[in-house]
Amino acid sequence: MLITHDTRCALDTVVDLVNTAPEDESASDGLADVAALENFVRSHKMSDVGVLSEFDLSAVRRIRGRFAGIFAAADPRTAAGMINELVAAAGTTPRLTDHDGYDWHVHYFAPGASVADHLAADCGMALAFFVVAGEQERLRRCEAPDCRRAFVDLSRNRSRRYCDSRTCGNRLHVAAYRARRKESAG
């Protein structure tokens, strides 16, 4: 599956957006306030985003939950329905653009769109490409028991199981190794 630069940026953005949600009541929200949303927009180099407000924050949190649902979708038909709703509500307006030193690429959000519509359109389309390519199963959640972070499995053989092999994957491998050693010693 060919993934263009702008699609990869949208995938990284949607994964990071979904992962800002608190995993339980004791965790903090990664989008706690407008300043956090501004930082999110800046760190993802989102173009054509104006002054943000509490209304924008609320709207982004709502679509964040809808994106989380796509990562949890049991099958492509369910994911497609959710993506279709998100993209349609955003009023997508595909257009070619070449800004900020990037060559020609497609933006799916309408000029002047809210940040929530911007995310819904561009990130929704990036996820749509995976469903169209028959790769919806690559939209995953970490398999570590104490982590449910979202990620997109871009490995060749679709074998990635953890959001980060250096943290979650390594921690579980070390725990399994210690359990085996304890069992063989005991």
Side-chain angles (χ1 to χ4, degrees), residues 136-155:
Q136 183 251 338
E137 75 275 2
R138 289 182 181 268
L139 309 177
R140 298 193 176 161
R141 291 289 189 156
C142 184
E143 290 183 18
D146 58 342
C147 179
R148 296 297 302 150
R149 293 180 60 83
F151 68 94
V152 178
D153 179 3
L154 297 176
S155 66

Side-chain angles (χ1 to χ4, degrees), residues 14 20-22 36 38 48 50 57 71 80 82 90 94 122 168-169:
V14 72
T20 64
E38 289 169 345
D48 297 333
L57 178 62
F71 277 83
M82 295 169 138
D122 273 2
C168 290

Side-chain angles (χ1 to χ4, degrees), residues 69-71 73-85 127 131 136 139:
I70 294 166
F71 277 83
D75 57 75
R77 184 165 305 283
T78 303
M82 295 169 138
I83 292 167
N84 284 340
E85 288 175 13
L127 297 178
V131 174
Q136 183 251 338
L139 309 177

Side-chain angles (χ1 to χ4, degrees), residues 2-15:
L2 175 69
I3 300 174
T4 63
H5 171 77
D6 50 317
T7 300
R8 180 60 192 256
C9 290
L11 290 172
D12 292 343
T13 300
V14 72
V15 165

Side-chain angles (χ1 to χ4, degrees), residues 118-185:
H118 179 141
L119 289 164
D122 273 2
C123 296
M125 289 305 299
L127 297 178
F129 296 143
F130 277 77
V131 174
V132 167
E135 302 284 356
Q136 183 251 338
E137 75 275 2
R138 289 182 181 268
L139 309 177
R140 298 193 176 161
R141 291 289 189 156
C142 184
E143 290 183 18
D146 58 342
C147 179
R148 296 297 302 150
R149 293 180 60 83
F151 68 94
V152 178
D153 179 3
L154 297 176
S155 66
R156 275 187 203 190
N157 61 358
R158 299 175 190 89
S159 63
R160 187 171 162 199
R161 298 173 45 208
Y162 307 110
C163 63
D164 187 345
S165 61
R166 287 173 286 191
T167 54
C168 290
N170 192 43
R171 189 169 25 89
L172 288 174
H173 289 114
V174 168
Y177 170 76
R178 288 181 179 157
R180 286 191 306 272
R181 283 192 52 147
K182 184 177 180 180
E183 186 178 301
S184 67

Side-chain angles (χ1 to χ4, degrees), residues 34-49:
V34 174
L37 178 58
E38 289 169 345
N39 186 49
F40 182 88
V41 166
R42 190 174 31 262
S43 68
H44 289 87
K45 298 178 181 162
M46 293 174 61
S47 61
D48 297 333
V49 175

